[in-house]
Amino acid sequence: MAAITLVISNTCPTKQYDDSHQPESQGLPTELTNFLCATNAQGRLLRNIPAIRLTLGPHNSSFFVHDSASYIWMNLPPELLKALQSRIKDGNWIDRPRIVALGADSNFLLLTEKHAAVWDLGFYTTISRMLEYSRTQNRGIADVRNVALHPYRYQCFLALSMNGTVISENVPPHEAAGVESIKIAILNDTKEIERKAQTSQTRIESVPRRPSIQHQATLRRDWGDRKQEFHAQSKGLRLSLSLSVSAAGIAGSFSKMLG
């Protein structure tokens, strides 16, 4: 299969830009390129580039992307598509996706802002069991900050917890050193964020508290100790669908709860 690469800059290729402003990309689906590079009547980009979150699946046409205001996806596994559709009412999100990860074949993961979790991770058994374990903890799925699945390599993933712990498995040898190098950096960044939060009492009163030191140590130990225990099964097919939701519509629907 052809490789897919993408570098997003502040501009996209249109007739108003010269070659020096074009982003570097190869093998991206036309629908994805059109979404990323959409402009208004004045030629300005519609997308909020810093807010873009993109996951690319196999087959060069499977993806989910958003910039927190507009969303588009194609060729998603049926169960993932169903889970997304069930969280849309009258064209607005009633529980917006927080993490969407696409893996090999039809494996996927969906975590929402209200901490619902839907997944089919038969080819990523370790992360599947980690998620099951997280559900039993005080903060549950909320402790999972991010997950990336390798779309062609079974059992290969990166997972980040809220306390800065990075867990990985079956990373290609030539990328292993790079993965190890980011673990300390991410952990240090997380500690610095926590330190700043603790010194700002007014902000602490208005945002959810970080996990306690004891809870952080427990989660880090358990995620590591349980890594080799995990086991699961999966199956699925592919479909396609796309959706664009206005920022105003999204903001107005956050107070609603799923039935």
Side-chain angles (χ1 to χ4, degrees), residues 1-6 25-33 54-64 73-76 102-105 150-152 238-240:
M1 297 181 180
I4 302 178
T5 60
L6 170 66
S25 64
Q26 179 180 352
L28 293 178
T30 301
E31 294 84 356
L32 177 55
T33 301
L54 167 64
T55 177
L56 291 165
H59 310 296
N60 288 13
S61 60
S62 173
F63 66 83
F64 180 96
W73 56 82
M74 288 188 65
N75 294 341
L76 299 183
L102 298 174
D105 296 341
H150 198 297
Y152 303 107
R238 297 188 302 133
L239 291 178
S240 63

Side-chain angles (χ1 to χ4, degrees), residues 57-201:
H59 310 296
N60 288 13
S61 60
S62 173
F63 66 83
F64 180 96
V65 62
H66 71 88
D67 66 353
S68 298
S70 296
Y71 294 71
I72 185 172
W73 56 82
M74 288 188 65
N75 294 341
L76 299 183
E79 290 302 313
L80 174 55
L81 181 61
K82 180 180 177 180
L84 291 170
Q85 290 174 326
S86 71
R87 288 163 173 82
I88 299 169
K89 184 176 181 179
D90 298 328
N92 296 319
W93 291 109
I94 55 178
D95 189 8
R96 188 165 59 166
R98 179 168 67 87
I99 297 173
V100 174
L102 298 174
D105 296 341
S106 296
N107 281 208
F108 71 89
L109 167 65
L110 167 66
L111 303 183
T112 73
E113 290 190 340
K114 295 180 181 178
H115 309 307
V118 182
W119 69 79
D120 185 349
L121 295 170
F123 295 129
Y124 305 85
T125 55
T126 299
I127 188 62
S128 179
R129 293 300 295 272
M130 285 180 179
L131 291 165
E132 290 287 2
Y133 173 75
S134 294
R135 277 177 162 172
T136 68
Q137 304 307 294
N138 290 336
R139 284 175 52 84
I141 297 299
D143 267 323
V144 183
R145 176 178 288 177
N146 208 349
V147 175
L149 306 174
H150 198 297
Y152 303 107
R153 187 178 178 89
Y154 292 169
Q155 310 300 342
C156 180
F157 72 90
L158 292 176
L160 172 63
S161 74
M162 283 296 185
N163 62 33
T165 301
V166 176
I167 298 295
S168 63
E169 185 174 61
N170 199 30
V171 175
H174 66 280
E175 296 177 347
V179 171
E180 289 300 317
S181 69
I182 69 173
K183 291 183 178 180
I184 295 177
I186 291 176
L187 184 59
N188 290 339
D189 286 348
T190 302
K191 289 181 177 178
E192 178 63 15
I193 292 172
E194 291 176 352
R195 185 191 66 79
K196 291 180 179 179
Q198 291 170 358
T199 59
S200 177
Q201 294 300 320

Side-chain angles (χ1 to χ4, degrees), residues 198-215:
Q198 291 170 358
T199 59
S200 177
Q201 294 300 320
T202 56
R203 294 196 64 185
I204 290 176
E205 296 300 326
S206 62
V207 301
R209 294 186 179 275
R210 298 286 184 179
S212 66
I213 294 177
Q214 180 179 2
H215 177 66

